[in-house]
Each structure stands twice: as C-alpha cells, then as structure tokens.
Amino acid sequence: MIFSVFSTARSSMNKSGAHTVTEFVLLGFSGHWETRILLFSLFFIVYILTMVGNGAIMCAVRWDQRLHTPMYILLGNFAFLEFWYINSTVPSMLENFLSETKTISFAGCFLQFYFFSSLGTTEIYFLCIMAYDRYLAICHPLHYPAIMTLKHCCTLMSVCWVLGFLSYFLSTIQLSQLSFCGPNIIDHIICDIDPLMALSCAPAPVTEILFYILSSLILFIPILYILGSYILLLRAVLKVPSAAGRHKAFSTCGSHLAIVCLFFGSLMIMYVSPTTGNSGEVQKIISLFYLVVTPFLNPLIYSLRNKEMKTALRKVMGIKILKNVYSLNLMI
C-alpha cells in the first residue's frame, strides 16, 4: 500500500514535469576501499550480534512458560521491535559500503524513511510503557497484578504499534510529493528528513515546520514522562532498607536511564536542535547512536542482565542443542 502511494506520487510528478529524480545517491561514509571494508566488517558484526541477542530474547519469551508475564511479554515485543528497527536501515548501510553507485530508488528511499521513523517512534512509545510497568511494579507492588494484566499489557502494546505507524504516515506522503528535480545526492547514511528537504526544488516551510512540531512532541512528551517515572522509582528505591537491594535497583535504573538518555539525546540533536552548523560526517556519527548503538545495547541492558531471562535462555539453548544432537543421531 505504502509503496504504491509513493510510486503514484512519483508518476504524477513525472507527468506534470515537476519531478525528474527517479533515484537518490546515498553517499554514506566516505573513505578508501580498505576503510569501507573495515567499517563494513565492524557494522556487520554489530548487526549480527544485535539480531542474535534480540532473536534469543524472542525465543526465550515464546518458549519459556515462566516468562509469560506482562514484564517479559513487553521485553519480548521490544526485542521484536528492535529486530525490525535495525533491519530498516543497517542492511542498506552495509550494501552501501560495498556499492560503487550507492543508489536507492525514489520509492525505496521514502519507504526506508517511513519504516525507520515509524519503528523509531514505536520504540519511543514502548520505552514509555516499559517505564510505566516498572513504576507500577516497584511503587505499587500490591496493585500491580490487578492493573498490569495480560489484557491490559497487550492493549498498551497494540496502541504503541498503531500510533507508531500512524504518526509519520501523512507527513511522509506529504514529503514524497515535494518537487525533486535535481541534484539527487544525499550526504547521509540513510534517507532522512533534513537531507530530503534540502533536495527539494521549491521551499516547503509548512512541511518543515510540521515535521519539527511533530518530532518535538514525539520526543519531549515521552522523555518527560519517562524521566518522571524514574524519579518516582528512585524515590521508592531510597526507602528500601537493604543496602544491597538499593545498590541493585540503582544499578538497574542507572543503566536503563543511560540508554534512554543516549537514544533520546541523539534523536534530539538530529531532529529538534539546529544541525546546520554540524558537518555531514558529524551528523552521520550522531545518527549511529540511535540507528546502531542503542539497538545493540538494549538486549544487554533490558533483558540479558536479568536473572530469569538468562535462566530461560540457557534452558532454550540447552533444548535446541539436545534436539540437534538427537537429529544427528537419527541421521547416523
């Protein structure tokens, strides 16, 4: 559906003579062939580790009955989200390292922008309900089972997915209908709002302002909510009588907040604060924090440090190994 919308927009512009660009050139990271091979190897390893980490979490939550609780279902869905989030950008980045032409089609560029922005927005909403879940569990432990039921948890997750994919839908279509008559070179690692707006033949201040307002609301309201939730969490943790319990809670909350600040901070630098003074290379490096670094760290911080999750992963991996050994014995 979305692909046909962008293809229709491109065809109508071609007929009117207002649009001549049929593909864009994503410059990505510049450098010699050896440098590009090195970067490709590094990003490929990070990509594989991220896929394996999130895949392992999804399998553990799916197959271990003890993890069929709201908190772990949230973590499993968050891993599923991260799986697709990193696949919306990193494979094309890897291909770009080895490509000589570095081209991406008109529809492909806007599809990448739509899915990247929608999945990123869904992640922001997921971080909110995960903070809400932790707030209820720690600050209202007696009421937690009655409030955070499986039905309520699934409803919250569904709302996150729907709102995430609706947030930038109309704005992306509006952006794709701008006049692109050349040049077609995007000095970035992905198709993003600022470089696309810069390539438009005619100024579109209304579209730019709407994107700015929408991005500001999507970033500032959730981050204020998340920080408020963690402030209440820390207040509750300070009342814990055990020093070991306080240390464990502070360690967990601190690592969560570090990832949240890294993710939101890099997004705010790119989409809310002025970036005209930053060079193209600086913007590419900043983008890596929310495109590659946080998806890589999220499984480690949110799930793999959890004792129950690690036990479930060992159990799942053990079952898989036994099945493989049994299959080999049958073959022999």
Side-chain angles (χ1 to χ4, degrees):
M1 175 187 172
I2 301 170
F3 180 82
S4 63
V5 169
F6 296 144
S7 298
T8 302
R10 181 181 63 174
S11 299
S12 62
M13 289 180 184
N14 281 332
K15 289 178 182 178
S16 65
H19 170 69
T20 57
V21 171
T22 58
E23 62 183 16
F24 295 100
V25 177
L26 275 172
L27 291 184
F29 287 101
S30 58
H32 298 293
W33 176 251
E34 293 79 8
T35 306
R36 287 158 54 191
I37 290 295
L38 178 63
L39 289 173
F40 172 85
S41 304
L42 176 63
F43 284 112
F44 183 72
I45 292 170
V46 172
Y47 171 70
I48 293 298
L49 290 175
T50 305
M51 296 281 285
V52 169
N54 286 301
I57 292 167
M58 287 188 284
C59 291
V61 174
R62 172 66 179 83
W63 289 327
D64 195 320
Q65 295 291 329
R66 294 172 300 177
L67 300 185
H68 290 182
T69 61
M71 184 183 82
Y72 291 108
I73 289 174
L74 277 173
L75 290 175
N77 272 266
F78 189 66
F80 177 75
L81 169 64
E82 290 285 53
F83 181 91
W84 290 110
Y85 176 68
I86 196 167
N87 273 294
S88 68
T89 55
V90 174
S92 66
M93 288 169 54
L94 293 173
E95 181 185 2
N96 190 272
F97 282 124
L98 304 179
S99 174
E100 293 297 332
T101 58
K102 300 180 180 292
T103 57
I104 183 171
S105 68
F106 181 89
C109 184
F110 283 96
L111 278 172
Q112 184 190 65
F113 171 72
Y114 173 70
F115 281 107
F116 147 68
S117 58
S118 296
L119 290 165
T121 304
T122 306
E123 180 169 340
I124 289 172
Y125 298 152
F126 255 86
L127 290 172
C128 287
I129 61 172
M130 288 166 70
Y132 170 67
D133 176 76
R134 291 300 82 211
Y135 164 76
L136 287 177
I138 294 175
C139 297
H140 302 283
L142 298 179
H143 300 286
Y144 178 78
I147 297 174
M148 188 57 79
T149 60
L150 283 176
K151 182 180 179 181
H152 185 52
C153 178
C154 291
T155 301
L156 289 174
M157 290 189 299
S158 300
V159 170
C160 285
W161 282 101
V162 172
L163 287 180
F165 275 80
L166 287 178
S167 295
Y168 280 100
F169 182 73
L170 294 177
S171 300
T172 306
I173 294 175
Q174 186 180 14
L175 178 64
S176 69
Q177 292 175 340
L178 295 178
S179 175
F180 296 95
C181 53
N184 66 337
I185 297 175
I186 299 176
D187 188 14
H188 203 27
I189 53 178
I190 58 169
C191 292
D192 211 347
I193 174 65
D194 284 339
L196 285 171
M197 289 292 296
L199 293 180
S200 176
C201 297
V206 175
T207 303
E208 195 168 359
I209 290 170
L210 287 176
F211 262 104
Y212 178 81
I213 293 172
L214 182 62
S215 299
S216 299
L217 290 174
I218 288 173
L219 287 172
F220 279 112
I221 294 175
I223 189 62
L224 290 174
Y225 176 82
I226 292 170
L227 291 177
S229 299
Y230 275 102
I231 288 170
L232 294 174
L233 281 175
L234 291 174
R235 284 180 58 187
V237 167
L238 289 172
K239 297 177 183 178
V240 174
S242 167
R246 285 198 305 272
H247 176 75
K248 182 180 178 181
F250 273 123
S251 174
T252 303
C253 290
S255 58
H256 288 191
L257 273 176
I259 291 296
V260 167
C261 291
L262 180 66
F263 182 66
F264 278 93
S266 55
L267 284 173
M268 286 179 178
I269 292 172
M270 286 298 296
Y271 297 106
V272 178
S273 65
T275 57
T276 52
N278 296 334
S279 67
E281 295 301 316
V282 171
Q283 292 188 37
K284 294 171 193 177
I285 293 171
I286 294 172
S287 299
L288 288 177
F289 284 102
Y290 58 82
L291 290 174
V292 179
V293 176
T294 52
F296 172 69
L297 293 177
N298 278 336
L300 300 173
I301 299 299
Y302 283 102
S303 299
L304 299 181
R305 292 180 63 189
N306 183 287
K307 184 187 294 185
E308 289 80 6
M309 182 65 74
K310 286 191 287 189
T311 302
L313 286 171
R314 291 193 196 100
K315 179 182 175 183
V316 168
M317 290 178 68
I319 291 172
K320 284 290 184 183
I321 291 170
L322 287 174
K323 284 183 177 179
N324 290 334
V325 171
Y326 180 71
S327 300
L328 286 172
N329 288 334
L330 288 177
M331 290 173 65
I332 294 170

